Amino acid sequence: MKRRHFLTKSLAASSLAGGLNASASPLPAGSDATGQAAVKEGYARFEELNGALDRAAMQRGWLTQVDPSYHHAPQAAIEAFKDRKFGIRIHWGLYCLIGSDASWALAGANRQFWDAYNVFYQFFNPTSFDADAWMELFEQAGARYFTFTTKHHDGFSMWPTRVLQDSIKLTPKGFGYGGVEHTEKVIQSYSIQDGPYKKDIVRSMVEAGRRKGMGIGLYYSHVDWHDPAYAWDPFNQHYDPHFTRESDPERWKTFIAHEREQLRELMANYGRVDYLDFDIGWPQAAADDLAEITMMVRKMQPDVIIRGRGIGAYGDYYTPERKIPGGPSEGVWKVIYPCGEAFSYLPNDSYKPAEWIVESLIGIVAKGGNFEVGVGPMPSGEWPTETVERLKYTGDWLRVNGEAIYNTRPRKVFREGNNIWFTSSKDGRYVYAIHIGWPGENFTTRSVRAVKGSQISMLGVDQPLEWEQDNATLRVSIPPAIADHKPCQQAYAFKIVAEPQ
């Protein structure tokens, strides 16, 4: 795709004061008497740049109504999503080489860091990547779908996009004494095809996932901090605080065209896509353009479920991130939460225990949501041992108790005390009471009444259990033989034929 060169037109990244206000002074408030900007570093610089845009509003999306011709994801797709319950969220890109939480290390980075990061694609060569082995691991974990980062905010594409942009590459001199970097300007896709690996990672993931019957989710960021056409973003390396639709109409059209074409590639070239997770958003002046692109996506993938970030009323579901709602929430939703401190790979990361995944999954499903645990592979394409151990633990639990999770729906009374969660079969006939920790000789609840003469069982145990209903209290007896040979660890699910609530 042909494009203009914008590098020479971008202002210095230290020109922060104006945001998107074309009438603002280019001199930051912290300038010294000579008029030179007092450039901030680290988190202070991040905060200053981050304040130049209303990112929260951008992420919510500006549009409160949809075009009359637009339709949301069909109910059948929504129900299939709700059935799957547990997914894997994979952040993988150049950032795994440096221990950054995805590409956030670039938000407010100095020029030297940017110049180094911009050539990391020449070193990214995940020769141990095996998409089929990944899907085998996900299947062992009990996951029914995944979402993969096709392009994070750094702008590096994990598929061979045909969209071109200004970039750099190291010359044969490489890095010299004192960290001097020898580079030359190039026009390229800034994607996996420009480095040594060459293979289409998105295609490998999608095709391997389909072979395992996985739901296919693709993540795509609305922002791009590498591409000069996105210079309205203060985190873009070519940030121009005066750049607007009016100041440079051609460049404005270019960033819109770049996203349109990349999404056209992703929606056209990989078969059915079940989930499309947008991230961040655009300035309000481009809201209608983003709506037009979303309508294009919907026409190409009629059943795709689209995350609402950046597109407002056009979205189908929302995703609480690093937090779990306190109770049932309206709409369609999934929790996204990293298993470590970061969504992507960090050397020496601090991982949450395996039990955290299981307990989080139970609570989220009881409230009516799905759970996507965030994990990141190493630069080689292999998984950290800590990730493998935790995913396999989760799968071991789900193999026993999956009936209480998959294909269930929430009930009005979803929790009792601190240790009991409830789910329900879709027809409402069965209630699953999941007790965190071993309940002892008896399991008791005041939130469910069993149908007279029915059987109650513990998942993973063949024999039915004796029970009695004493007014409001249901008491289930657990024989010592079961206590001596527990069907699983951590949490135990009781299947009850229940009276209507």
Side-chain angles (χ1 to χ4, degrees), residues 396-431:
D396 288 343
W397 187 87
L398 280 167
R399 270 184 287 281
V400 174
N401 300 285
E403 183 182 341
I405 299 296
Y406 307 121
N407 305 305
T408 61
R409 295 296 183 265
R411 41 186 329 258
K412 185 184 300 183
V413 178
F414 65 92
R415 186 175 190 179
E416 181 178 318
N418 295 322
N419 296 321
I420 304 176
W421 296 93
F422 300 103
T423 62
S424 174
S425 59
K426 285 193 283 188
D427 62 8
R429 174 173 170 77
Y430 297 106
V431 169

Side-chain angles (χ1 to χ4, degrees), residues 482-493:
I482 295 177
D484 292 340
H485 299 87
K486 298 179 179 69
C488 59
Q489 300 182 66
Q490 185 182 351
Y492 305 87

Side-chain angles (χ1 to χ4, degrees), residues 55 58-61 104 153 219-223 225 232-233 278-282 290 307-311:
R55 290 189 183 274
M58 286 170 50
Q59 185 155 290
R60 288 192 302 270
W104 282 102
H153 313 326
Y219 165 106
Y220 182 89
S221 175
H222 289 305
V223 299
W225 298 339
W232 49 262
D233 190 329
F278 287 138
D279 204 359
I280 313 291
W282 284 357
L290 200 49
R307 178 160 75 163
R309 290 192 178 180
I311 60 174

Side-chain angles (χ1 to χ4, degrees), residues 86 339 352-362 371 373 375 387 390-391 393-394 490:
F86 182 49
C339 188
K352 300 172 185 66
E355 292 82 358
W356 169 84
I357 301 179
V358 170
E359 189 161 350
S360 298
L361 175 63
I362 293 168
F371 182 36
V373 65
V375 293
T387 298
R390 284 155 176 77
L391 292 181
Y393 175 94
T394 305
Q490 185 182 351

Side-chain angles (χ1 to χ4, degrees), residues 360-483:
S360 298
L361 175 63
I362 293 168
I364 291 165
V365 170
K367 297 170 188 174
N370 282 23
F371 182 36
E372 232 172 79
V373 65
V375 293
M378 296 182 289
S380 64
E382 299 169 293
W383 290 98
T385 300
E386 296 89 345
T387 298
V388 174
E389 291 173 347
R390 284 155 176 77
L391 292 181
K392 287 185 175 180
Y393 175 94
T394 305
D396 288 343
W397 187 87
L398 280 167
R399 270 184 287 281
V400 174
N401 300 285
E403 183 182 341
I405 299 296
Y406 307 121
N407 305 305
T408 61
R409 295 296 183 265
R411 41 186 329 258
K412 185 184 300 183
V413 178
F414 65 92
R415 186 175 190 179
E416 181 178 318
N418 295 322
N419 296 321
I420 304 176
W421 296 93
F422 300 103
T423 62
S424 174
S425 59
K426 285 193 283 188
D427 62 8
R429 174 173 170 77
Y430 297 106
V431 169
Y432 301 94
I434 308 172
H435 193 283
I436 306 298
W438 185 249
E441 294 180 358
N442 297 285
F443 166 73
T444 61
T445 175
R446 296 176 61 86
S447 302
V448 181
R449 291 188 65 87
V451 171
K452 186 177 180 179
S454 64
Q455 290 188 346
I456 294 178
S457 61
M458 179 187 292
L459 297 186
V461 176
D462 291 335
Q463 67 191 75
L465 305 176
E466 293 184 1
W467 62 273
E468 62 179 1
Q469 187 84 49
D470 180 14
N471 295 322
T473 301
L474 173 64
R475 181 177 292 103
V476 182
S477 299
I478 304 174
I482 295 177

Side-chain angles (χ1 to χ4, degrees), residues 4 37 55 69 85 94 105 128 130 179 193 198 202 258 269-270 285 296 343 353 410 422 438 442 447 464 488-489:
R4 296 175 57 199
R55 290 189 183 274
S69 66
K85 300 301 183 192
L94 303 183
S128 295
D130 183 340
Q193 69 183 340
K198 305 296 183 187
V202 172
H258 281 188
N269 297 336
Y270 298 94
M296 176 200 75
F343 277 106
F422 300 103
W438 185 249
N442 297 285
S447 302
C488 59
Q489 300 182 66

Side-chain angles (χ1 to χ4, degrees), residues 44-108:
R45 180 169 173 77
F46 165 82
E47 285 190 312
E48 187 171 9
L49 288 166
N50 197 43
L53 287 180
D54 188 347
R55 290 189 183 274
M58 286 170 50
Q59 185 155 290
R60 288 192 302 270
W62 305 100
L63 298 168
T64 58
Q65 294 182 331
V66 301
D67 186 279
S69 66
Y70 182 78
H71 69 85
H72 285 87
Q75 192 60 33
I78 296 296
E79 294 301 319
F81 168 73
K82 289 181 176 181
D83 288 346
R84 288 186 169 125
K85 300 301 183 192
F86 182 49
I88 308 293
R89 193 170 195 83
I90 309 115
H91 280 71
W92 198 33
L94 303 183
Y95 38 82
C96 72
L97 295 166
I98 60 170
S100 168
D101 188 355
S103 50
W104 282 102
L106 293 171

